[in-house]
Amino acid sequence: QVFTSNPYREADDGADARLYKTGDLVRWTDQGELEYLGRLDHQVKIRGFRIELGEIETALMEVPSIDNAVVTSVGDEQHKQLVAYVVLGEQYRNNLDVSESKSSTRADILSGVKESLLSRLPDYMVPSQYMILSELPLSSNGKIDRKSLPSIDVDVMKGEYRAPSNEVEKMLCTIWEEVLGVDKVGVNDNFFAIGGDSLLAVKLLNRVNVEFSMSLTLNQLIRCEKLEHMSAIIESASGQFSDIDQEEMEEMEW
């Protein structure tokens, strides 16, 4: 519906009974002004779900570390992914050199952003890739210029590269590279930060269970987002995830 009843109308005040929904996304600034953020009708279809990008952008801007954000989609119809471009709040910008593409602080911030989104949105609406910008590009009329957003480079999304140091890590790196279609996966990499999604996680699960003769479930695998965590589980389990001591699992940094 593009029209809605006017909640501010009083009897006989001459105001229209209905208001027109423009589809614009705005927010109040600290100065009491309305700031235009973009459109609410940027809709995409991913894995059969119709998604309003504006809803994701609104959720992103509710995250304390985020000052501004825009979300787009990349890839073909079968492998489309959501990408979030974010501008950090001042206190976070002061502690982060945005030109340093492989900062551990950057990875920590983006991990926190994703966790926050997962508590607000279904998993299919959570972007799989993120890019931190100093500011969002604007058109001549002050609106976000989506066409001027920088292209996504998967290598930028990775943490500092650390090569595999044992056979399990080497095998996992090879599996991840084949499942994700990327080059040079490292031990520090996060599956979902370098292009993984729920469908690819299922494919990864099948490969891991076959290659290592394991019986991991999808939920168990998702808890091992980083390759080093998955390697530790495989080495500790000796082929059976269920044999791992529960206290040991809780103590691990997921």
Side-chain angles (χ1 to χ4, degrees):
Q1 292 183 342
V2 297
F3 290 96
T4 185
S5 59
N6 185 352
Y8 306 105
R9 180 175 182 267
E10 297 181 1
D12 303 325
D13 65 358
D16 291 331
R18 295 190 302 169
L19 295 177
Y20 175 71
K21 294 183 178 181
T22 66
D24 294 321
L25 178 65
V26 299
R27 67 172 175 177
W28 289 106
T29 66
D30 294 337
Q31 291 73 38
E33 300 175 341
L34 286 175
E35 178 184 359
Y36 179 85
L37 300 174
R39 294 286 300 171
L40 286 170
D41 56 4
H42 292 292
Q43 188 180 89
V44 297
K45 189 174 183 180
I46 295 181
R47 306 201 303 272
F49 297 100
R50 293 196 176 277
I51 299 171
E52 289 285 358
L53 299 181
E55 292 184 33
I56 307 173
E57 293 165 356
T58 299
L60 274 167
M61 286 183 287
E62 291 175 356
V63 179
S65 59
I66 302 300
D67 186 58
N68 207 349
V70 63
V71 178
T72 64
S73 63
V74 297
D76 56 32
E77 291 302 319
Q78 290 185 331
H79 301 95
K80 187 168 288 187
Q81 296 183 37
L82 294 172
V83 177
Y85 297 85
V86 299
V87 177
L88 299 180
E90 183 176 0
Q91 69 179 93
Y92 293 89
R93 292 198 301 269
N94 291 339
N95 296 322
L96 177 66
D97 179 2
V98 295
S99 67
E100 182 64 35
S101 63
K102 294 186 178 180
S103 166
S104 59
T105 304
R106 173 188 298 269
D108 293 339
I109 291 174
L110 294 182
S111 177
V113 169
K114 183 171 182 179
E115 288 182 10
S116 182
L117 288 183
L118 284 170
S119 69
R120 292 174 164 85
L121 302 170
D123 63 349
Y124 61 83
M125 291 183 67
V126 176
S128 58
Q129 298 190 32
Y130 299 79
M131 180 176 288
I132 297 175
L133 303 178
S134 57
E135 60 183 11
L136 297 179
L138 301 178
S139 62
S140 57
N141 58 7
K143 296 182 179 181
I144 294 175
D145 186 357
R146 292 172 179 266
K147 294 181 179 180
S148 297
L149 290 167
S151 59
I152 286 291
D153 181 353
V154 174
D155 289 335
V156 174
M157 301 299 118
K158 297 182 180 182
E160 184 176 355
Y161 178 76
R162 180 155 66 90
S165 60
N166 57 49
E167 287 304 314
V168 172
E169 290 178 353
K170 289 178 182 178
M171 290 179 65
L172 283 176
C173 284
T174 299
I175 293 172
W176 281 37
E177 289 167 359
E178 293 175 354
V179 169
L180 294 170
V182 300
D183 297 324
K184 201 176 181 181
V185 168
V187 176
N188 287 334
D189 287 335
N190 182 303
F191 181 75
F192 296 99
I194 60 174
D197 57 27
S198 56
L199 288 181
L200 290 175
V202 173
K203 185 175 180 180
L204 176 65
L205 173 69
N206 293 334
R207 287 287 304 274
V208 169
N209 282 340
V210 170
E211 296 289 344
F212 295 99
S213 300
M214 299 188 70
S215 55
L216 285 170
T217 67
L218 185 58
N219 286 337
Q220 290 165 338
L221 179 140
I222 289 176
R223 293 187 64 188
C224 314
E225 288 189 2
K226 285 191 174 183
L227 191 143
E228 62 180 337
H229 296 155
M230 190 176 297
S231 176
I233 287 297
I234 293 171
E235 293 180 57
S236 299
S238 298
Q240 289 298 325
F241 187 94
S242 59
D243 291 341
I244 299 176
D245 182 79
Q246 292 300 311
E247 291 185 0
E248 180 183 346
M249 287 176 58
E250 295 299 328
E251 290 174 357
M252 292 187 68
E253 296 181 358
W254 299 100

